[in-house]
């Protein structure tokens, strides 16, 4: 459904001044349940304060919950996962790191493709849509998403978002980029 909504330009981005530290603290217990089930260690690193960020918290959580869920799915039991929140200049950076399977180097260029799943993830559930959706949503918020990975050592995903987003609610809907075969 989300892919269809994004393709049709019907998923609305409604930025509001958001305290990301408090918002994430309120949402993380949902993700932490999955880590506990898999006996994975989780850490949330954050500054004491952060300026309010003009984002749609619902969309930020959709992207982050996907990144955290993938970190758990692709990290063996007993592994480590972390979420780090920081800011620099006019940007907030969210970093999700794990010490899981990692993404094979020869497949890394495909990670944001619709329906793509790396060869070393065949035993885990998934549709291959999560990273594709996460990329589209990040870009719709004026942000960027990228990663670093080494097979057998883990993956770190980065989500950068502008602190002040001057886009008005009615002017910004989530759509696939022109000429894109995505979603």
């Amino acid at each position: 459904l989300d892919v269809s909504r994004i393709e049709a330009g019907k998923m609305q981005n409604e930025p509001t001044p958001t305290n990301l530290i408090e918002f994430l603290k309120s949402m993380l217990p949902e993700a932490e349940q999955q880590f506990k089930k898999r006996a994975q260690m989780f850490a949330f690193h954050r500054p004491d304060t952060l300026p309010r960020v003009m984002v749609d918290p619902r969309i930020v959580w959709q992207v982050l919950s996907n990144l955290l869920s993938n970190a758990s799915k692709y990290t063996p039991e007993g592994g480590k996962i972390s979420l780090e929140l920081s800011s620099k200049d006019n940007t907030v950076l969210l970093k999700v790191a794990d010490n899981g399977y990692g993404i094979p180097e020869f497949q890394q260029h495909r990670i944001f493709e619709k329906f793509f799943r790396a060869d070393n993830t065949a035993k885990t559930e998934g549709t291959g849509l999560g990273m594709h959706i996460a990329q589209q949503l990040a870009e719709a918020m004026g942000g960027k998403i990228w990663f670093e990975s080494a097979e057998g050592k883990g993956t770190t995903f980065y989500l950068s978002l502008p602190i002040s987003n001057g886009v008005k609610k009615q002017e910004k809907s989530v759509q696939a980029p022109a000429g894109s075969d995505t979603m």
Side-chain angles (χ1 to χ4, degrees), residues 63-124:
V63 173
L64 271 180
S65 65
N66 181 278
L67 295 176
L68 293 167
S69 174
N70 281 356
S72 181
K73 280 195 294 191
Y74 303 124
T75 298
E77 288 192 14
K80 297 178 182 177
I81 298 164
S82 66
L83 170 61
E84 183 178 330
L85 175 62
S86 61
S87 69
K88 183 176 182 184
D89 300 325
N90 198 32
T91 303
V92 168
L93 182 66
L94 296 118
K95 181 167 94 171
V96 175
D98 67 59
N99 66 344
Y101 306 131
I103 302 164
E105 187 173 345
F106 74 98
Q107 293 184 312
Q108 290 182 8
H109 69 283
R110 299 188 61 203
I111 203 68
F112 295 109
E113 286 180 18
K114 186 167 43 171
F115 302 117
F116 176 75
R117 299 196 63 221
D119 290 344
N120 64 345
T121 63
K123 294 181 182 180
T124 57

